[in-house]
């Protein structure tokens, strides 16, 4: 089944404790992206990747890192999480940047 | 820069009534336009999209939207609401100009269906 998977789905952590949210797609998509969803703000892009080893900042990149060592994986790294990063995070992928994006199920992160 | 405005953070309609969710955008180049739906505790699912060609676009679950360039709008409609349509709906835009940026989303409209 074609899908985008994220892990974990739920995470509660404390300020400053490094964490990684994984994202994997099995559709051989070149373009991958991370969004955060906050009430009343919709979804905002954090980082995106056009292909392996090619990443760039979106609209709200502060406090986040990403890597794209393999085509299928696009992990989101929070080196020192803060409470303002409490949010619902979505990974998405598409064959090319201009194609329809397919979204993962989301990761709900709480930073205490 | 692109932006998307969705009128009404909450819209309530009776079951069987017309659904109309409004979306206006701004874009410096011809846009690609999307409507996504998010059911509770789930990810986003594409309802429909406009890229080029026919301005009236039909999507899944009986929804459709019309691209009106002169009004910079892409409103979502469904003739008869069903209880299962209750969800959060997001309008999104991206430039057709070949940039690498992702989608710019509106803030979402929560659709409530009254029995």
């Amino acid at each position: 089944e074609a899908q985008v998977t994220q892990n974990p789905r739920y995470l509660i952590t404390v300020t400053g404790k490094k964490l990684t949210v994984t994202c994997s797609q099995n559709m051989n998509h070149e373009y991958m992206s991370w969004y955060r969803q906050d009430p009343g703000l919709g979804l905002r892009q954090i980082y995106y990747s056009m292909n392996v080893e090619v990443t760039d900042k979106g609209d709200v990149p502060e406090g986040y890192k990403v890597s794209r060592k393999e085509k299928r994986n696009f992990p989101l790294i929070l080196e020192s999480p803060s409470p303002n990063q409490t949010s619902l995070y979505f990974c998405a992928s598409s064959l090319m940047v201009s194609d329809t994006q397919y979204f993962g199920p989301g990761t709900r992160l709480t930073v205490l | 820069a692109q932006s998307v405005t969705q009128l009404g953070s909450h819209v309530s309609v009776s079951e069987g009534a017309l659904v109309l969710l409004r979306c206006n955008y701004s874009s410096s180049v011809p846009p690609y336009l999307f409507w996504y739906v998010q059911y509770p505790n789930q990810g986003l699912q594409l309802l429909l999209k406009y890229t080029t060609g026919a301005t009236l676009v039909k999507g899944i679950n009986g929804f459709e939207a019309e691209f009106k360039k002169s009004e910079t709008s892409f409103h979502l409609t469904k003739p008869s609401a069903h209880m299962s349509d209750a969800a959060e709906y997001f309008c999104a835009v991206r430039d057709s100009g070949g940039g690498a940026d992702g989608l710019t989303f509106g803030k979402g409209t929560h659709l409530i269906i009254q029995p």
Side-chain angles (χ1 to χ4, degrees), chain B residues 27-114:
Chain B
S27 178
S28 56
V29 298
Y32 292 157
L33 296 158
F34 304 81
W35 275 100
Y36 281 87
V37 60
Q38 183 181 31
Y39 298 104
N41 298 313
Q42 293 188 26
L44 278 74
Q45 179 182 1
L46 181 70
L47 270 179
L48 49 80
K49 67 178 180 181
Y50 168 80
T51 53
T52 58
T55 56
L56 182 62
V57 181
K58 295 186 186 300
I60 62 172
N61 301 339
F63 284 94
E64 61 182 39
E66 187 171 11
F67 169 55
K68 291 188 176 181
K69 185 179 178 180
S70 61
E71 299 177 9
T72 60
S73 68
F74 191 56
H75 302 330
L76 182 71
T77 60
K78 182 174 180 177
S80 177
H82 192 272
M83 294 300 291
S84 61
D85 294 327
E88 189 89 15
Y89 291 80
F90 292 95
C91 181
V93 63
R94 73 172 304 276
D95 282 341
S96 61
D101 293 353
L103 298 165
T104 297
F105 284 86
K107 295 181 179 181
T109 297
H110 187 68
L111 178 61
I112 301 161
I113 311 297
Q114 306 280 4

Side-chain angles (χ1 to χ4, degrees), chain A residues 31-50:
Chain A
Y31 186 86
M32 297 186 73
S33 182
W34 276 102
Y35 295 88
R36 60 178 288 173
Q37 182 181 12
D38 301 292
L41 296 178
L43 282 83
R44 294 175 292 168
Q45 191 181 42
I46 304 170
Y47 267 94
Y48 61 89
S49 170
M50 297 281 283

